[in-house]
Amino acid sequence: MSGSARALQPPRGMKDYLPEELAKRRRIEETIRQLFRLYAYREVETPTVEHLELVAAKVGEETRRAMYAFKDLGGRDVALRPEGTAPIARLVASKLRTAPKPLRLGYVWDFYRYDEPQFGRFRRFYQGGFELFGVSGLEGDLETLIVALDLMTRLGFKTFNVKASNVVVLRSLLAKAGVSEDGQNAVLSYADKRRYVEALEHIRSLGVPNRTVEAVSKLFELRGPDYESILQEARGLCEGCPDAIAALELLQHLLDSAKVLFPSTQLIVDLGFARGLEYYTGVIFEVFVPPLEIALIGGGRYDRLVELFGGEPTAAVGCAPGIDRLLLAMEEKGLSTPAEAASLAYLIPLKGISEDEAARVAYSLRSLDLAVEADVSRRGLKRGLAYANQRHLPFAVILGKEEMARGHAVLRNMAEATQTEASLEDLAIKLKRSQEAKATGRLEPHGGSS
Ligand code: AMP
């Protein structure tokens, strides 16, 4: 590609959203915001650019390397945010330090990671976030998992899987064998990439007793939908490590509760599963739609992050739906996504109608919240109607000189090809009624499909 042709494309791994695709993305965002309302999450926003130090603190090696980090013109080290938990924890450690807990915060933001672009992996992507602070018990993990699955259901997915683990199982086994937190992070980071051989070599190199290496090696292999028997087997491997046993119990309790609400969801326990971000301190989970192998939603508990940023010790749990990936999965499953919101009427001024008159009528209709697209290029009647047809606009409002002299215009029903003359007031009432009927009519097929 020549230099100038390249400049016409967005940077590699980033997307332009044209109207149709953006309308689909907005539908997902609206559903996320609907859940903010239903679950009492209050939306916040932070800058896209953060101090490098903050966002690099606990994101894990891989994301740290993939950051868009730079010096601003004042010489400060900053970065485009690669994920949302650190900025949110920063708020809770500072401005929201004294906010009553439990505190629920929501967001819909864009993120930047210099990953190798591939299916479902972009360098700029959108995530929603549901973050709950001040709840250390199972209720917090459960609400987070439920909101994630509620979102999947509302977006119309019929089947989806959850993969879950608890990082405390591996961490406490390793800690008991004397492995430092850095050592544990290295092991979890290998596990995150499913590089179990290297993870085990690393553990051995730290002088961990064979018994523990064996147990970890078997845990890495324990995964499947029959979670009860898997957790039972895991309890056997963790004998003598009460923290690991308690972590397994908690996971079992969480999955048992989720099963009641979402009986057709496959709940997979995968004890060799770790998430890339280092800050997790408890249950972690991801949501998938087979056969796609990319995680659509990721979540987990991160009880120490707020403290790490200088705040009070604060229990925290949350999940982040990946909006671009949900969009891909919805396309893959052929889930209905609405067309762009089109106008209700096309306003056609005929010869002899001044720009001012046309603009006045359009403005008065819009002031009644009627969506009106105005012909501002003097197409004339024939081409104006052809355009309204092509755009599937339900009505045309035709402004002729004679009718306008009486304070009237012509309202044309495009689908029926019928038209009537009416006063501008009556015409507005008719349009309003039709808009309301359309809005209530639309609810039924939608409600039924989700
Ligand atoms: P994470 O912040 O890595 O826990 O990711 C949370 C969710 O965001 C994932 O489950 C994905 O759906 C989405 N996500 C993460 N990284 C990317 C990316 N590079 N491109 C698109 N979506 C992503």
Side-chain angles (χ1 to χ4, degrees):
M1 212 176 351
S2 77
S4 60
R6 189 163 48 234
L8 291 178
Q9 298 298 325
R12 187 166 138 76
M14 302 196 187
K15 275 198 285 190
D16 292 321
Y17 281 90
L18 299 187
E20 202 176 309
E21 198 177 6
L22 186 58
K24 292 176 186 169
R25 200 188 86 204
R26 290 279 185 249
R27 178 174 164 216
I28 300 176
E29 293 173 356
E30 277 159 19
T31 311
I32 290 173
R33 292 199 165 99
Q34 186 186 10
L35 292 173
F36 289 164
R37 283 191 297 279
L38 292 173
Y39 287 74
Y41 284 75
R42 290 156 73 212
E43 197 173 346
V44 288
E45 191 172 301
T46 59
T48 312
V49 179
E50 287 277 1
H51 290 292
L52 178 61
E53 193 190 335
L54 178 107
V55 284
K58 275 281 175 188
V59 287
E61 197 43 43
E62 209 167 341
T63 306
R64 203 172 295 135
R65 262 187 280 120
M67 278 195 301
Y68 280 84
F70 56 98
K71 275 194 195 300
D72 70 10
L73 294 179
R76 297 172 198 90
D77 286 308
V78 292
L80 303 185
R81 59 185 167 212
E83 58 89 46
T85 316
I88 283 278
R90 172 173 70 70
L91 287 187
V92 177
S94 57
K95 298 188 180 70
L96 296 173
R97 199 182 184 105
T98 57
K101 312 285 182 308
L103 174 66
R104 292 181 179 86
L105 299 176
Y107 59 82
V108 178
W109 297 339
D110 57 346
F111 297 96
Y112 299 80
R113 292 184 199 169
Y114 199 83
D115 280 330
E116 197 45 37
Q118 48 184 278
F119 180 75
R121 189 178 294 281
F122 308 100
R123 288 183 175 167
R124 174 180 187 254
F125 57 94
Y126 278 83
Q127 279 182 4
F130 296 84
E131 314 288 349
L132 169 57
F133 295 92
V135 181
S136 57
L138 174 81
E139 290 92 336
D141 303 79
L142 186 57
E143 185 175 287
T144 305
L145 182 57
I146 289 174
V147 84
L149 303 185
D150 197 346
L151 176 64
M152 296 302 288
T153 311
R154 280 170 197 272
L155 292 177
F157 291 104
K158 296 273 181 286
T159 50
F160 41 87
N161 295 348
V162 172
K163 183 168 83 174
S165 182
N166 188 337
V167 297
V168 176
V169 179
L170 272 180
R171 282 197 187 272
S172 49
L173 277 185
L174 294 171
K176 191 158 181 276
V179 177
S180 69
E181 199 172 319
D182 281 349
Q184 296 168 26
N185 288 346
V187 174
L188 289 175
S189 169
Y190 281 127
D192 179 42
K193 289 170 230 132
R194 302 246 170 243
R195 285 159 62 179
Y196 297 126
V197 175
E198 282 140 297
L200 291 171
E201 269 167 19
H202 189 76
I203 300 173
R204 268 193 209 98
S205 75
L206 298 170
V208 165
N210 262 342
R211 215 175 71 90
T212 307
V213 181
E214 288 273 294
V216 170
S217 159
K218 288 194 178 132
L219 278 176
F220 280 160
E221 283 165 20
L222 276 184
R223 83 175 68 103
D226 182 8
Y227 70 82
E228 287 188 27
S229 67
I230 289 192
L231 289 171
Q232 185 60 31
E233 211 175 324
R235 275 192 278 271
L237 294 170
C238 295
E239 239 175 53
C241 186
D243 289 347
I245 301 272
L248 291 165
E249 300 283 343
L250 184 90
L251 189 55
Q252 165 112 34
H253 195 153
L254 178 71
L255 296 178
D256 286 346
S257 306
K259 188 93 208 151
V260 177
L261 287 179
F262 300 92
S264 58
T265 298
Q266 200 169 67
L267 302 171
I268 298 164
V269 161
D270 182 347
L271 293 170
F273 154 59
R275 303 198 65 238
L277 308 173
E278 272 168 19
Y279 49 64
Y280 288 112
T281 58
V283 168
I284 52 172
F285 70 87
E286 285 180 345
V287 181
F288 293 83
V289 169
L292 298 183
E293 289 179 354
I294 48 176
L296 305 182
I297 304 181
R301 177 170 283 283
Y302 52 99
D303 285 345
R304 280 162 47 200
L305 201 60
V306 176
E307 195 179 351
L308 185 88
F309 293 151
E312 306 293 327
T314 308
V317 57
C319 71
I323 293 171
D324 309 79
R325 289 191 184 175
L326 285 166
L327 192 59
L328 283 175
M330 287 170 78
E331 304 260 286
E332 181 83 14
K333 294 286 165 193
L335 294 175
S336 61
T337 36
E340 284 169 66
S343 299
L344 181 66
Y346 192 56
L347 185 95
I348 309 172
L350 301 181
K351 263 205 197 88
I353 301 292
S354 71
E355 296 87 340
D356 298 5
E357 277 175 299
R360 252 197 324 269
V361 174
Y363 179 74
S364 69
L365 293 174
R366 290 172 190 141
S367 65
L368 297 169
D369 284 338
L370 295 166
V372 173
E373 178 177 349
D375 170 15
V376 284
S377 47
R378 296 282 166 173
R379 284 192 163 107
L381 186 60
K382 203 162 155 226
R383 281 173 51 223
L385 291 177
Y387 175 82
N389 250 334
Q390 182 204 333
R391 296 272 297 150
H392 303 294
L393 304 184
F395 294 97
V397 175
I398 303 159
L399 305 184
K401 202 164 176 242
E402 276 177 31
E403 292 87 356
M404 279 291 276
R406 294 192 287 271
H408 286 197
V410 169
L411 180 66
R412 183 180 175 91
N413 182 318
M414 296 302 299
E416 292 171 8
T418 53
Q419 55 188 53
T420 48
E421 184 183 326
S423 71
L424 288 172
E425 291 78 38
D426 286 350
L427 190 144
I429 292 169
K430 281 188 183 165
L431 284 175
K432 194 85 193 162
R433 277 205 199 111
S434 159
Q435 177 164 275
E436 279 160 12
K438 202 171 148 209
T440 45
R442 210 196 277 137
L443 282 179
E444 286 152 22
H446 250 260
S449 72
S450 61

